[in-house]
Amino acid sequence: MVPVTLKNQMSPILNQGFVIKRSVFQPCLELYPMEEWNLLMQQMNKKNRFKKKNNDFIRTFSAGVKPIEIDATGRLLIPKDLVTIANISKEVVLSSAINIIEIWDKDSYEKVIEETAEDFAALAEEVMGDDGDELS
């Protein structure tokens, strides 16, 4: 079940549908609103498919991609193969990742958060600490 507050926030895009796929970097799933997915596919479509690395990336990136909808009762029916890939057992965590939603097994999510908590201050400084004085 998608929490009611999240479903309400997503109401403008519910009718467009979503795409669900496995994450590239983490043992979780990614839920893309169709508009975001289409933007990503436009970027992917610009890749030269006659370069092997591009073709290999596109194939692997899109493996297991499935269109999905949130039904009238607020359920998100995740295909079994993707449940297995993300090691989802009983409890799930829906985590906002700016323009997508990550879907995690609760224990896996807590483990990743715990592992990155120690280095988060350094990571935040490296990623967000640009004070604007440096030229790109």
Side-chain angles (χ1 to χ4, degrees):
M1 294 288 293
V2 174
V4 173
T5 54
L6 180 57
K7 185 179 173 193
N8 290 342
Q9 289 176 20
M10 294 172 31
S11 65
I13 59 172
L14 284 178
N15 292 336
Q16 297 171 17
F18 300 86
V19 169
I20 192 167
K21 67 175 285 304
R22 59 190 174 154
S23 174
V24 173
F25 298 108
Q26 298 293 338
C28 69
L29 303 176
E30 297 172 339
L31 184 68
Y32 287 79
M34 194 57 73
E35 186 175 332
E36 289 295 327
W37 181 254
N38 289 337
L39 290 172
L40 182 57
M41 289 300 97
Q42 287 175 10
Q43 285 182 296
M44 297 279 266
N45 204 26
K46 294 176 184 175
K47 302 294 178 197
N48 182 346
R49 298 288 305 257
F50 287 96
K51 289 186 176 179
K52 184 179 181 328
K53 69 179 180 179
N54 291 355
N55 208 33
D56 291 348
F57 171 79
I58 291 167
R59 180 184 317 103
T60 304
F61 180 84
S62 59
V65 167
K66 304 224 175 10
I68 194 168
E69 294 180 359
I70 296 175
D71 70 15
T73 62
R75 292 180 300 178
L76 182 67
L77 303 175
I78 302 171
K80 288 185 190 269
D81 61 326
L82 293 178
V83 168
T84 302
I85 287 170
N87 295 317
I88 295 173
S89 55
K90 187 175 181 180
E91 294 183 86
V92 298
V93 172
L94 301 178
S95 175
S96 172
I98 302 177
N99 58 347
I100 65 171
I101 295 172
E102 293 179 337
I103 303 170
W104 289 82
D105 173 76
K106 185 177 185 263
D107 292 338
S108 297
Y109 179 78
E110 289 174 354
K111 182 179 177 187
V112 167
I113 293 298
E114 185 178 306
E115 289 172 354
T116 56
E118 293 176 20
D119 300 325
F120 186 69
L123 180 63
E125 183 177 6
E126 183 178 333
V127 173
M128 300 299 292
D130 181 8
D131 59 9
D133 291 341
E134 298 175 22
L135 296 175
S136 299

